[in-house]
Every structure is written in C-alpha cells, then in structure tokens.
C-alpha cells in the first residue's frame, strides 16, 4: 500500500502491526511516515516519537523526525533529535545528512554544505546527500558544484524524481530558464503521472513571473490530486500575482483546511488581506 501511494490504508496497517507487537518500532516509524503523507502532521510526529521510545536504535526514525520538525520550522527541536541520535552512533552519514538538511532549511548554507560534504565522504553514493548538496550549492550561487552533485545523483539513479528536478533547476542557471522548463516538460511527457515534475515546472514558471502559465500547471495537478496542499498554495500565489485576490484567498484557506497544523496557508491569506 505504501509503495502504491495508498497511505491512508498503509498507516492503518502499520498501526495495527504496532498494536499486535508494541515492541515493533519499525511499524511505528512507518505509520508516522504515512501519516505525514496524508497531512496528519501532528499525529505523524507523535508516532515517530513513539518509534524512538520503543526502539532507540532505529536511526532512520530520528532523521525522519528531524526532517518533519524542520519542515514545521521547529529547528531547535530538530537539532535536539539529531544530537540524541549522534550520541548513539557517532560519525554516521544519515545523521550528518539530517544536520545538513536542517541547516539548509534555515538558510545556514555554510554549515549545511559542511555537514553534507562530511556525509558524502562517508558514503559517496548516497543519492539523498547528493541532491541536498546540489540544492545547497544552488542556493549559495555555486552553480558548477551544484551541477556536479546533480549530475552524479542522476548517474546513480536516473529515475530519481528529486535528482531530475534539482538538475532542471541547475539547468535554468547554466542554460537559461527555458532550458530548465523544456527539460521538465520532456520529463512530464515521459512520466505523465509523476506529480513532482509538474510541481517543479509550476514553481519555476511562478518564480519567473509567468503566473498565468504556472496557474495552468497547478490546476492540472489539482485535477489529479484535489487535496494537494502545495499545489493549492502555488495556485493561490499565481492568482495573487495576477491580482485575482478572491481566488487566491480561497486556495490559501482550502490548503489550511486540508492540513490545519501547517500555517502557511493561513499566513499567506493573512498577508494578502
């Protein structure tokens, strides 16, 4: 169920597995992972903490929990979780990658790149680390290093969606915006049901002030996934850029309904008001 994207059923199965065997920390972690996917973010964090309390040796649970906390801007809590993990296992590439992700999210690029390079030295073929390195270098304006990391990630796994997206973002810096847009459109033709490529295209178009084109992309996503929170936010921002404020407000508020624990929809509605 998890692999097919049916996280509603998957989280129920994982919870049931944990109820049958309360020592199964992996089941609790998987439940938390699935709950996050269906926007039950607060409950997701509860289950990840439960996984760690059940089995303190499950390092991926610490990394996942820090990831989710940092997405909620709870950076200090995310760092605290990773510090606890590093006390159990020193110099671990997953934990170092986790630190790098938190620092990247709070725009501390120097430390982010430092942590991620340390993680990369420990495990050179970790595609998640390479993707984050590409994003960090891209944010830091070091486009040549960003390209090296993105290309290496694609060499390891050309089907990895995040690797392809970050490579398209790098292309916009090396060859111009239209090159990145064309690359993503080709990926959409090839993998028409992969929502992330459409999201990346919509975001690039919106950032380049092509709001009406971005609007069309976000609307396509919402036809496939009507409750896609990020697409709703993106559509709202596209309407806002065009001065269509009533529709912008509607999409921001709808996004906040689907995930009440995420404040972005309400925040953007408030700014617009």
């Amino acid at each position: 169920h998890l692999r097919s994207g049916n996280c509603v059923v998957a989280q129920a199965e994982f919870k049931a597995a944990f109820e049958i065997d309360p020592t199964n920390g992996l089941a609790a972690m998987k439940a938390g992972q699935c709950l996050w996917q269906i926007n039950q973010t607060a409950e997701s964090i509860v289950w990840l903490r439960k996984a760690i309390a059940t089995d303190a040796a499950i390092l991926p649970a610490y990394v996942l929990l820090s990831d989710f906390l940092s997405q909620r801007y709870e950076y200090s809590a995310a760092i605290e979780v990773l510090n606890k993990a590093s006390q159990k296992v020193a110099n671990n590439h997953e934990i170092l990658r986790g630190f790098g992700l938190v620092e990247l999210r709070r725009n501390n690029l120097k430390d982010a790149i430092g942590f991620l390079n340390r993680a990369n030295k420990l495990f050179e073929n970790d595609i998640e680390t390479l993707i984050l390195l590409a994003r960090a270098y891209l944010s830091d304006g070091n486009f040549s290093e960003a390209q090296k990391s993105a290309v290496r990630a694609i060499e390891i796994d050309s089907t990895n969606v995040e690797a392809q997206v970050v490579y398209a973002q790098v292309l916009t810096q090396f060859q111009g915006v239209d090159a990145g847009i064309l690359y993503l459109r080709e990926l959409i033709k090839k993998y028409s049901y992969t929502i992330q490529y459409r999201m990346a295209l919509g975001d690039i178009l919106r950032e380049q002030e092509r709001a009406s084109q971005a609007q069309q992309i976000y609307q396509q996503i919402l036809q496939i996934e009507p409750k896609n929170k990020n697409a709703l936010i993106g559509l709202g921002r596209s309407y806002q850029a065009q001065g269509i404020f009533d529709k912008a407000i509607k999409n921001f508020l709808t996004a906040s309904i689907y995930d009440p624990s995420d404040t972005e929809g309400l925040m953007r509605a408030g700014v617009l008001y």
Side-chain angles (χ1 to χ4, degrees):
H1 288 302
L2 177 59
R3 288 175 183 171
S4 67
N6 191 349
C7 285
V8 174
V9 175
Q11 60 88 24
E13 296 286 0
F14 287 128
K15 284 180 180 178
F18 184 76
E19 289 173 6
I20 292 169
D21 179 8
T23 66
N24 190 340
L26 183 61
M29 185 190 80
K30 293 282 189 180
Q33 183 180 5
C34 291
L35 286 162
W36 187 268
Q37 296 299 319
I38 57 175
N39 294 327
Q40 301 298 316
T41 53
E43 190 180 359
S44 168
I45 287 171
V46 169
W47 275 87
L48 285 171
R49 291 194 184 280
K50 190 178 294 189
I52 292 169
T54 302
D55 185 353
I58 302 181
L59 287 181
Y62 290 89
V63 177
L64 202 58
L65 178 57
S66 72
D67 178 0
F68 293 169
L69 287 169
S70 66
Q71 287 188 54
R72 288 159 54 103
Y73 308 103
E74 299 179 34
Y75 301 124
S76 296
I79 293 293
E80 183 181 350
V81 168
L82 291 170
N83 282 332
K84 288 180 180 178
S86 61
Q87 289 171 5
K88 299 183 181 302
V89 181
N91 213 30
N92 175 272
H93 81 277
E94 289 182 274
I95 297 171
L96 289 170
R97 185 184 69 219
F99 278 117
L101 176 58
V102 174
E103 297 302 340
L104 177 59
R105 284 198 174 128
R106 65 179 183 178
N107 207 33
N108 183 4
L109 299 177
K110 180 180 177 181
D111 286 347
I113 291 169
F115 279 120
L116 293 168
N117 273 318
R118 286 172 60 191
N120 189 45
K121 286 179 182 178
L122 291 173
F123 185 15
E124 293 183 354
N125 291 333
D126 181 29
I127 193 165
E128 293 181 54
T129 300
L130 288 166
I131 291 167
L132 289 175
L133 261 176
R135 293 192 187 284
Y137 279 127
L138 196 59
S139 298
D140 199 38
N142 191 339
F143 304 132
S144 61
E145 288 297 326
Q147 184 186 39
K148 287 179 186 177
S149 297
V151 168
R152 178 61 183 146
I154 291 174
E155 286 175 350
I156 294 170
D157 183 3
S158 62
T159 65
N160 187 287
V161 176
E162 288 189 54
Q164 292 286 4
V165 167
V166 76
Y167 180 72
Q169 292 168 340
V170 172
L171 270 183
T172 64
Q173 300 299 326
F174 269 101
Q175 299 181 23
V177 175
D178 289 332
I181 289 172
L182 179 62
Y183 189 79
L184 285 170
R185 289 195 185 278
E186 290 299 319
L187 287 171
I188 290 169
K189 286 180 183 177
K190 192 173 181 180
Y191 307 103
S192 59
Y193 291 103
T194 303
I195 296 298
Q196 293 95 320
Y197 293 140
R198 294 181 190 271
M199 276 297 306
L201 178 58
D203 290 343
I204 288 176
L205 289 168
R206 178 178 51 76
E207 289 163 5
Q208 295 300 317
E209 299 182 356
R210 303 183 188 183
S212 61
Q213 291 178 277
Q215 172 195 328
Q216 293 174 9
I217 300 299
Y218 293 129
Q219 286 173 331
Q220 290 174 12
I221 295 169
L222 291 168
Q223 287 176 356
I224 301 168
E225 293 185 359
K227 295 183 179 181
N228 189 306
K229 177 183 64 178
N230 293 326
L232 285 163
I233 295 289
L235 182 57
R237 294 180 69 180
S238 298
Y239 279 130
Q240 182 176 353
Q242 297 174 79
I244 310 173
F245 300 134
D246 56 338
K247 289 187 177 181
I249 290 287
K250 180 180 178 182
N251 280 278
F252 291 149
L253 295 180
T254 302
S256 69
I257 290 170
Y258 289 141
D259 186 1
S261 62
D262 186 343
T263 60
E264 184 175 4
L266 291 173
M267 181 275 290
R268 292 198 177 278
V271 170
L272 182 49
Y273 274 128

